[in-house]
């Protein structure tokens, strides 16, 4: 028998040490019954009003990723009116603390590019030109790549991969409308310096108060002030080309202080990764930010219809509307697959 | 920047139950992995989910001054795993006998040579674990796989710290004897150091 030097505890530590962490499906399977129990447990009087998803949405959910039913169960407002949702605040503070434990990533120099590869999926409502025909929903998926340099030069590519219909009824309505072409197709474009937006947060403060001041002064984007606008801008900043961990920590901390931010819980993103999601409801839509609680990187984003009337369901003839659909419809979803610094606008990183 | 403790979150979850999701987020992977090393994959899935359901239902009993819920959750998981003790022993004995770990095979490791613990120590340890009495094995695996301290193991099993010490000492002695009997050689310097730094 092979003889080796060892200690019994060391050996026991290594015993079955290669058993992997639970995957996304296992986490979701465990989370689903707990989330149902959590929602059942709201005390009488503060129980949230459930918005029952339509049969169409439920049918769609059955064919979509395992997360969709979970997402439906979580489009319920359960935050504290007028104050931060404690669960969202706790999750965001945890992300802020975790961000501080990370070292800054590579910052691109002149002549280099920040490469980001994404997968996205958008659902549209199509109103046929003939008003007698039924409007239908369709979903378009694709993969995008972008290389953006600090000087604003770069290249964007998009490959449309799939058009699908939430239900057979939608497909039938599309056929009845003459099967109009729906896919926007694929393309690649190169941009000169200054033509693309490059956001470098290395000069930003990490203090949440100072960040809020910048946001409220709308030095970054315009739009109506208020917590929704701040939440949207925080999302913009978290997906910046370069954001040092301490600034990211400040952004998560600031988000934890906003009224109206809801804790969504664990969701599986478009790439099948499990992340923690928080969201904000605005104009009938719930906008989610999905982040990895360990790396604190933004994994993806998702927009779900929570109020179809507010989200303007009815399309005019011969129009295509985005960001709408019955309650529960995921109108837009993006997963950030790879991020790296490259030397050219043709260097591809990662295989997913 | 101060992160909420598990105690604060669980206490606050009595008013806002959604807060319990953060506790799940923090500890699910560790609890699942601990269980997956003890029982079959399918059973581990069920027990890990059940652990958090039970914890949620009993959250009123959790002491909100506790910083971490790890011992509490590992205790619930261990209690649940006891219901599958026979299956755990069967798989350990099969590993000891055949050199192929059924638990690892379930996770997709088809060949023993692919395993990190596929040295001669793997089957020997499986045999040693199977020969331990259940209480000693629980204490040992909470300490080593659960990475709990003596005090936390005591809290998880609801026993005095002194009892944890004696159970761990007995389990370690048994393991060492078993390894030595089967031709494994212990590095005394390493072992001494490990013992000194255990607490």
């Amino acid at each position: 028998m092979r003889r080796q030097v060892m200690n019994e505890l060391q050996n026991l530590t290594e015993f079955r040490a290669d058993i992997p962490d639970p995957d996304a499906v296992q986490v979701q399977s465990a989370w689903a019954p707990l989330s149902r129990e959590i929602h059942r447990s709201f005390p009488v009087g503060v129980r949230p009003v459930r918005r029952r998803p339509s049969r169409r949405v439920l049918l769609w959910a059955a064919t979509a990723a395992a997360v969709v039913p979970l997402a439906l169960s979580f489009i319920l407002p359960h935050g504290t009116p007028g104050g931060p949702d404690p669960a969202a605040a706790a999750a965001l503070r945890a992300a802020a603390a975790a961000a501080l434990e990370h070292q800054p990533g590579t910052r691109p120099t002149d002549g280099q590019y920040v490469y980001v590869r994404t997968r996205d999926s958008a659902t549209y409502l199509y109103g046929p030109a003939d008003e007698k025909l039924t409007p239908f929903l369709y979903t378009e998926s694709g993969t995008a790549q972008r290389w953006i340099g600090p000087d604003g030069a770069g290249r964007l590519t998009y490959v449309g991969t799939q058009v699908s219909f939430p239900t057979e009824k939608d497909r039938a309505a599309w056929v009845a409308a003459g099967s109009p072409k729906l896919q926007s197709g694929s393309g690649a474009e190169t941009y000169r310096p200054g033509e693309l937006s490059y956001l470098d947060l290395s000069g930003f403060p990490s203090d949440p108060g100072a960040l809020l001041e910048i946001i409220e002064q709308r030095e970054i984007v315009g739009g109506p002030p208020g917590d929704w606008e701040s939440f949207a801008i925080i999302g913009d900043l978290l997906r910046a080309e370069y954001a040092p961990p301490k600034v990211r920590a400040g952004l998560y901390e600031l988000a934890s202080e906003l009224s109206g931010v809801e804790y969504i819980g664990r969701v599986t993103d478009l790439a099948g990764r499990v992340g923690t999601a928080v969201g904000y409801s605005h104009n009938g839509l719930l906008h989610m930010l999905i982040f990895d609680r360990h790396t604190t990187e933004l994994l993806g984003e998702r927009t779900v219809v929570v109020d179809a009337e507010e989200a303007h369901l009815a399309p005019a003839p011969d129009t295509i509307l985005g960001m709408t659909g019955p309650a529960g419809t995921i109108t837009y979803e993006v997963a950030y697959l790879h991020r790296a610094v490259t030397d050219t606008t043709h260097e591809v990183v990662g295989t997913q | 920047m101060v992160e909420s403790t598990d105690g604060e979150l669980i206490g606050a979850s009595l008013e806002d139950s959604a807060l319990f999701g953060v506790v799940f987020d923090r500890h699910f992977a560790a609890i699942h992995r601990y269980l997956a090393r003890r029982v079959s994959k399918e059973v581990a899935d069920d027990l890990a989910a059940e652990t958090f359901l039970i914890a949620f239902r009993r959250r009123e009993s959790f002491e909100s001054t506790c910083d971490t819920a790890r011992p509490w959750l590992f205790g619930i998981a261990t209690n649940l795993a006891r219901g599958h003790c026979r299956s755990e022993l069967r798989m350990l004995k099969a590993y000891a006998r055949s050199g192929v770990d059924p638990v690892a095979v379930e996770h997709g490791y088809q060949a023993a040579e692919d395993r990190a613990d596929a040295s001669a120590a793997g089957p020997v340890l499986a045999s040693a674990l199977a020969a331990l009495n259940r209480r000693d094995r629980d204490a040992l695996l909470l300490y080593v796989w659960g990475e709990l301290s003596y005090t936390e193991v005591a809290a998880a099993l609801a026993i005095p710290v002194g009892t944890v010490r004696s159970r761990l000492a007995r389990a370690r002695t048994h393991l060492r004897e078993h390894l030595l009997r089967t031709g494994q050689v212990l590095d005394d310097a390493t072992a001494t150091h490990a013992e000194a730094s255990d607490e």
Side-chain angles (χ1 to χ4, degrees):
Chain A
M1 178 176 287
R2 186 163 64 94
R3 296 166 71 85
Q4 61 187 76
V5 173
M6 61 182 174
N7 164 275
E8 75 279 4
L9 291 186
Q10 288 170 345
N11 267 297
L12 190 55
T13 301
E14 290 164 16
F15 186 79
R16 292 177 177 164
D18 48 356
I19 300 298
D21 280 341
D23 61 24
V25 173
Q26 288 169 304
V27 174
Q28 289 298 1
S29 299
W31 172 244
L34 181 62
S35 72
R36 284 194 294 273
E37 185 99 357
I38 284 173
H39 277 86
R40 272 201 298 269
S41 72
F42 277 92
V44 176
V46 296
R47 191 185 184 89
V49 177
R50 284 183 180 269
R51 299 171 194 271
R52 183 182 293 278
S54 69
R55 180 176 160 75
R56 172 152 78 168
V57 174
L58 288 174
L59 283 171
W60 184 14
T63 61
V67 68
V68 176
L70 180 65
L72 290 175
S73 74
F74 261 112
I75 58 177
L76 314 167
H78 54 267
T80 308
D85 170 5
L92 287 162
R93 279 200 302 272
L100 289 175
E101 293 175 6
H102 289 81
Q103 295 298 314
T106 306
R107 188 180 175 195
T109 57
D110 286 344
Q112 289 188 308
Y113 302 87
V114 173
Y115 169 80
V116 179
R117 184 182 178 90
T118 61
R119 183 181 303 163
D120 63 26
S121 172
T123 296
Y124 302 95
L125 181 66
Y126 187 102
D130 184 346
E131 290 186 60
K132 292 175 189 166
L133 294 172
T134 310
F136 59 86
L137 290 167
Y138 71 95
T139 302
E140 185 178 336
S141 306
T143 302
Q145 298 178 96
R146 66 173 189 259
W147 296 259
I148 304 178
D151 63 352
R155 180 168 171 260
L156 309 179
T157 71
Y158 183 80
V159 179
T161 54
Q162 189 183 5
V163 168
S164 59
F165 299 92
T167 68
E168 279 307 310
K169 197 174 168 186
D170 287 304
R171 178 184 292 279
W174 170 67
V175 171
S179 305
K181 183 179 182 300
L182 300 174
Q183 196 162 12
S184 58
S186 304
E189 291 189 12
T190 301
Y191 296 84
R192 290 173 299 189
E195 291 186 339
L196 292 172
S197 169
Y198 178 89
L199 191 52
D200 185 337
L201 305 190
S202 53
F204 270 56
S206 55
D207 174 62
L211 281 168
L212 181 62
E213 202 169 311
I214 290 176
I215 288 172
E216 286 186 337
Q217 288 172 350
R218 297 201 295 284
E219 290 179 8
I220 302 146
V221 295
D227 284 345
W228 154 246
E229 180 68 4
S230 298
F231 181 78
I233 295 174
I234 286 169
D236 292 341
L237 296 178
L238 285 172
R239 75 177 89 88
E241 274 64 40
Y242 183 76
K246 62 180 184 180
V247 177
R248 209 161 57 227
L251 290 168
Y252 282 120
E253 185 74 13
L254 174 58
S256 77
E257 296 166 4
L258 297 179
S259 295
V261 179
E262 301 168 32
Y263 179 68
I264 310 299
R266 265 135 313 284
V267 300
T268 302
D269 76 356
L270 198 57
R273 303 165 299 186
V274 173
T276 300
V278 294
Y280 202 109
S281 293
H282 180 70
N283 282 351
L285 299 169
L286 173 61
H287 301 266
M288 298 184 200
L289 298 175
I290 306 167
F291 54 88
D292 183 308
R293 70 186 183 91
H294 297 296
T295 67
T296 72
E297 295 280 357
L298 197 61
L299 293 178
E301 296 173 63
R302 175 178 298 159
T303 303
V304 185
V305 176
V306 290
D307 188 320
E309 283 184 25
E310 261 193 88
H312 309 297
L313 181 60
D318 205 19
T319 59
I320 297 175
L321 292 179
M323 296 295 183
T324 190
T329 304
I330 297 175
T331 59
Y332 178 70
E333 193 163 17
V334 61
Y336 301 99
L337 303 176
H338 294 288
R339 173 185 286 266
V341 173
T342 66
D343 293 325
T344 74
T345 57
H346 286 76
E347 188 179 339
V348 174
V349 180
T351 55
Q352 194 175 23
Chain B
M1 188 180 308
V2 180
E3 195 178 344
S4 301
T5 65
D6 288 343
E8 289 166 349
L9 286 169
I10 293 169
S13 77
L14 294 171
E15 293 295 323
D16 181 349
S17 50
L19 275 169
F20 200 81
V22 182
V23 178
F24 175 93
D25 204 14
R26 284 182 183 170
H27 300 297
F28 179 76
I31 294 293
H32 185 281
R33 196 151 183 276
Y34 164 75
L35 288 165
R37 290 170 85 172
R38 295 195 64 167
V39 293
S40 71
K41 186 180 178 185
E42 194 175 320
V43 172
D45 287 347
D46 291 344
L47 297 189
E50 186 69 14
T51 296
F52 283 87
L53 274 175
I54 290 173
F56 179 72
R57 290 167 188 161
R58 295 182 186 166
R59 67 192 190 284
E60 276 186 56
S61 67
F62 186 75
E63 181 53 63
S64 62
T65 54
C66 290
D67 286 348
T68 175
R70 274 175 67 88
W72 181 53
L73 294 168
F74 272 101
I76 295 171
T78 302
N79 278 334
L80 290 172
R82 279 178 196 153
H84 298 266
C85 185
R86 284 186 184 176
S87 155
E88 181 182 20
L89 287 178
R90 203 162 44 241
M91 287 193 292
L92 285 171
K93 287 174 181 173
Y95 186 11
R97 196 170 52 246
S98 67
V100 177
D101 185 1
V103 169
V105 170
E106 273 199 335
H107 285 278
Y109 297 95
Q110 298 297 327
E113 56 269 27
D114 291 343
R115 305 289 317 288
D117 67 20
S119 64
V124 174
L125 274 169
S127 171
L129 284 174
L132 279 175
N133 75 53
R134 178 182 55 74
R135 289 175 178 166
D136 292 353
R137 187 168 58 245
D138 284 346
L140 181 67
L141 296 185
L142 283 170
Y143 179 66
V144 180
W145 290 354
E147 297 179 9
L148 301 185
S149 67
Y150 280 27
T151 310
E152 289 174 329
V153 172
L157 298 176
I159 55 176
V161 175
T163 308
V164 172
R165 288 184 203 282
S166 59
R167 286 185 188 178
L168 284 175
R170 193 162 51 232
R172 291 187 64 174
T173 302
H174 168 84
L175 245 61
R176 287 169 68 90
E177 288 174 357
H178 207 91
L179 291 164
L180 286 168
R181 273 205 307 273
T182 50
Q184 309 296 319
V185 178
L186 291 164
D187 176 352
D188 286 338
T190 309
T192 303
H193 173 74
E195 283 166 6
S197 60
D198 279 348
E199 295 180 65

